[in-house]
Amino acid sequence: MSRPPTFTPPPCAHARQLRTARGDFAVLDASPPTAPRGTALLLPGYTGSKEDFIALLEPLSTAGYRTVAVDGRGQYETEGTDHQETYAQGELAHDVLAQAAALRAGGEETVHLLGHSLGGQIARAAVLLDASPFRSLTLMSSGPAQVTEAQQLKVKMLSDALATLSMAEVWEAMRVLDPPEDAATDGEALRGRWLRHQPAQLIATGRQLATEPDRVAELTAVQLPLHVLSGERDDTWPVPLLDEMAQRLGARRTRIAGAEHSPNTDRPEQTAAALVAFWDSL
């Protein structure tokens, strides 16, 4: 679980509803001080939310990029159903295309798309459906196929618990397993976010993480600038596997020193600088 430094957005950003043809999505929308050089759409990972990108909003907007971080369907402040089929990867990918269309209706020509972890798999699926709304794709700590066997086991344990326990009961169980340093830093805001996730969303997307096929060859065939960004350590997809994926894709490759699976919260300034350098190069 990503642990954002705060749930309070910076002055450059405001919380709002992004209205799309597929419903409303809760977003944090950060505007640059001058005319934007581009627009970025940021998709969070499994158990995460738009707040995972809070520390990126100010540096990205200061660099001239309008930055929109979104809660996906059934995540935190975006409504969802209790039916797992509504969270099929194709459905979530169509949501992303609708979000991009809504942003482009506001005057943006194309959108830089970024997905963290699970969000990277959903972003990839959206691009494979239709790459035309996007100027680039960044896969942040998101690998070529399913997560490691150890992570598959964790996802299964969580899904089994969600099938029988309440969200509050699962939260308390997870807290018992947290390292002491994590238990000391987690706030009530993290618990509040967890309680507002739809269990069906977590079960359905967890299954996707554990069974995702390798779609690198499909993505290679798409004519779109690609960026693979990660920390220097990752227990969800090993860093050498991410290196290999970047080579197969012919993608720009960035490792953020001192970061692990969530460079967006571990080293936000360095992560923002890497994203800006990539987008500026285009």
Side-chain angles (χ1 to χ4, degrees), residues 204-218:
T205 56
R207 187 183 306 115
Q208 292 169 32
L209 284 170
T211 60
E212 177 77 357
D214 188 320
R215 306 187 73 185
V216 171
E218 293 176 70

Side-chain angles (χ1 to χ4, degrees), residues 25-278:
F25 295 85
V27 301
L28 294 175
D29 194 337
S31 300
T34 57
R37 304 174 61 191
T39 296
L41 176 61
L42 313 184
L43 313 182
Y46 186 59
T47 77
S49 69
K50 60 191 181 301
E51 284 71 21
D52 292 343
F53 301 113
I54 269 186
L56 297 181
L57 298 179
E58 190 163 30
L60 292 180
S61 63
T62 298
Y65 290 92
R66 180 189 177 193
T67 307
V68 181
V70 61
D71 286 340
R73 182 191 305 211
Q75 284 183 320
Y76 192 29
E77 294 181 323
T78 294
E79 294 295 325
T81 75
D82 58 0
H83 302 294
Q84 293 183 35
E85 59 270 20
T86 63
Y87 305 105
Q89 189 184 78
E91 293 296 319
L92 301 180
H94 279 291
D95 287 348
V96 175
L97 293 175
Q99 294 156 12
L103 293 175
R104 296 179 71 192
E108 290 78 358
E109 293 185 4
T110 53
V111 174
H112 295 287
L113 182 61
L114 178 150
H116 173 232
S117 195
L118 170 72
Q121 294 186 343
I122 296 169
R124 179 173 71 177
V127 165
L128 291 176
L129 284 174
D130 183 5
S132 64
F134 305 111
R135 181 67 184 92
S136 71
L137 170 63
T138 296
L139 301 173
M140 179 187 287
S141 304
S142 187
Q146 74 274 9
V147 296
T148 62
E149 289 186 10
Q151 291 296 324
Q152 290 178 42
L153 178 59
K154 289 183 179 181
V155 168
K156 184 181 185 305
M157 291 173 61
L158 177 58
S159 296
D160 289 346
L162 290 169
T164 58
L165 302 175
S166 70
M167 291 294 282
E169 289 170 328
V170 174
W171 175 260
E172 294 305 320
M174 291 193 301
R175 294 280 291 188
V176 171
L177 298 175
D178 276 343
E181 62 271 20
D182 288 346
T185 56
D186 286 354
E188 190 60 28
L190 283 174
R191 180 179 185 273
R193 174 175 71 174
W194 171 260
L195 294 177
R196 294 184 66 175
H197 275 73
Q198 281 285 344
Q201 188 267 352
L202 293 169
I203 294 171
T205 56
R207 187 183 306 115
Q208 292 169 32
L209 284 170
T211 60
E212 177 77 357
D214 188 320
R215 306 187 73 185
V216 171
E218 293 176 70
L219 186 58
T220 302
V222 176
Q223 298 301 307
L224 192 69
L226 303 173
H227 186 194
V228 175
L229 185 150
S230 74
E232 60 183 355
R233 294 177 299 279
D234 198 307
D235 62 359
T236 305
W237 287 278
V239 169
L241 183 65
L242 298 175
D243 293 340
E244 179 189 32
M245 181 180 74
Q247 291 181 341
R248 292 170 63 195
L249 289 170
R252 187 182 184 117
R253 178 71 174 107
T254 303
R255 288 193 193 187
I256 303 297
E260 297 189 18
H261 184 61
S262 298
N264 42 309
T265 58
D266 294 342
R267 295 290 186 271
E269 291 292 338
Q270 297 90 327
T271 300
L275 293 172
V276 169
F278 173 56

